Amino acid sequence: MTGEFSESWLGLREPADAVARAADLVERLPEPIHVIRDLGCGTGSLGRWLAPRLPTPQHWILADRDPKLLHYATSHLRLPGVTVEGALGDVTALTAQDLDGTDLVTCSALLDLLTEDEIDSLVAACAAAGTAALFTLSVAGEVTFEPARPEDQQVVAAFNAHQRRVEGGRALLGPDAPAYAAKAFEKAGATVVTRPSPWRLGPEHPELTAEWLRGWVAAAREQEPSLVLDDYQAARLGDLPSVSVGHVDLLAIFG
């Protein structure tokens, strides 16, 4: 989606992310959890959601390749008993050595942007270090509207194909990522639990819903330029529907 990593978009979606995440998975985390490495941290929204749900003391290592977002994230995770550091770099290069002393690896809305090899490498690093993983809000490829329109599923299919695009020689997994990651963790010996974590959008969240719709349609158009969606988009924006956008949360525990 256009602008998916912008500070404004990440801020707009943060409340919907917080409501959608499967809080019961936090209750299943092994103890103790003191050191957490958050991959692709963005503005730090996952840390702001998760840190209050964990006992202190905590130390967060916020990792991202965008220095502006990383600066924002490290400046806006301020809670008693919580310390923070930034790690600038490519999260796909994570190694078991990086995870030495880390109790939990987290990410939000990241897995669907990775390839099979990148998820395999991430799983291997967690397995070698014995580090638990909590991966939230991975795109599941399911979007439902109330009321429905005839064009809906055509746009869903084009968007999902866009999520699976080849970018810079990397074949992104898109909505196939949650199932692929679950199987990879299980093969590596982890106990895996998944939960649906859908966004609930609609007229009660007009700014977020409208911005999501524009980005969603734009991605579908980019993938299938032959689609004629001007009237569809105008109709959807003119009378915002209730929307469920499917995501999956995954918890993997070793030992």
Side-chain angles (χ1 to χ4, degrees):
M1 287 172 60
T2 302
E4 65 183 317
F5 302 121
S6 72
E7 191 176 306
S8 60
W9 166 248
L10 294 174
L12 190 60
R13 64 175 284 172
E14 184 167 346
D17 288 349
V19 172
R21 290 190 185 99
D24 71 298
L25 293 184
V26 179
E27 300 169 6
R28 292 172 171 260
L29 287 171
E31 296 181 352
I33 298 290
H34 292 311
V35 179
I36 304 102
R37 181 179 283 263
D38 187 25
L39 307 179
C41 66
T43 62
S45 66
L46 177 57
R48 288 187 289 276
W49 177 84
L50 181 57
R53 290 171 165 80
L54 298 176
T56 54
Q58 299 167 36
H59 181 69
W60 282 74
I61 304 165
L62 302 180
D64 206 284
R65 64 182 181 183
D66 185 322
K68 182 180 177 182
L69 289 177
L70 190 59
H71 176 74
Y72 184 97
T74 55
S75 302
H76 288 79
L77 183 54
R78 294 287 184 254
L79 293 167
V82 177
T83 56
V84 179
E85 68 175 283
L88 183 65
D90 185 353
V91 299
T92 64
L94 189 73
T95 67
Q97 289 72 31
D98 295 325
L99 296 180
D100 185 31
T102 301
D103 302 306
L104 178 66
V105 174
T106 62
C107 71
S108 187
L110 176 68
L111 286 187
D112 43 273
L113 301 173
L114 302 181
T115 67
E116 290 186 0
D117 287 346
E118 289 163 354
I119 287 181
D120 287 342
S121 177
L122 177 57
V123 169
C126 291
T131 305
L134 178 63
F135 297 159
T136 70
L137 298 176
S138 300
V139 167
E142 301 160 357
V143 178
T144 57
F145 292 87
E146 182 58 45
R149 290 180 63 92
E151 306 96 325
D152 290 342
Q153 291 311 306
Q154 191 176 25
V155 186
V156 169
F159 178 81
N160 287 345
H162 183 269
Q163 292 291 96
R164 296 182 177 106
R165 68 192 180 278
V166 176
E167 186 176 78
R170 299 169 58 247
L172 308 186
L173 277 171
D176 303 321
Y180 186 88
K183 289 180 181 178
F185 272 113
E186 288 172 347
K187 288 179 182 177
T191 298
V192 177
V193 182
T194 61
R195 293 283 187 269
S197 52
W199 270 357
R200 305 293 186 187
L201 308 181
E204 65 275 19
H205 306 292
E207 189 178 1
L208 174 60
T209 303
E211 187 67 15
W212 171 81
L213 270 165
R214 293 188 191 99
W216 186 67
V217 170
R221 280 175 165 151
E222 183 178 311
Q223 183 67 27
E224 297 289 347
S226 62
L227 291 178
V228 180
L229 297 174
D230 288 351
D231 291 346
Y232 174 81
Q233 178 172 294
R236 282 303 194 197
L237 291 173
D239 186 12
L240 290 175
S242 296
V243 192
S244 174
V245 182
H247 298 100
V248 175
D249 287 7
L250 179 154
L251 172 64
I253 300 172
F254 293 95

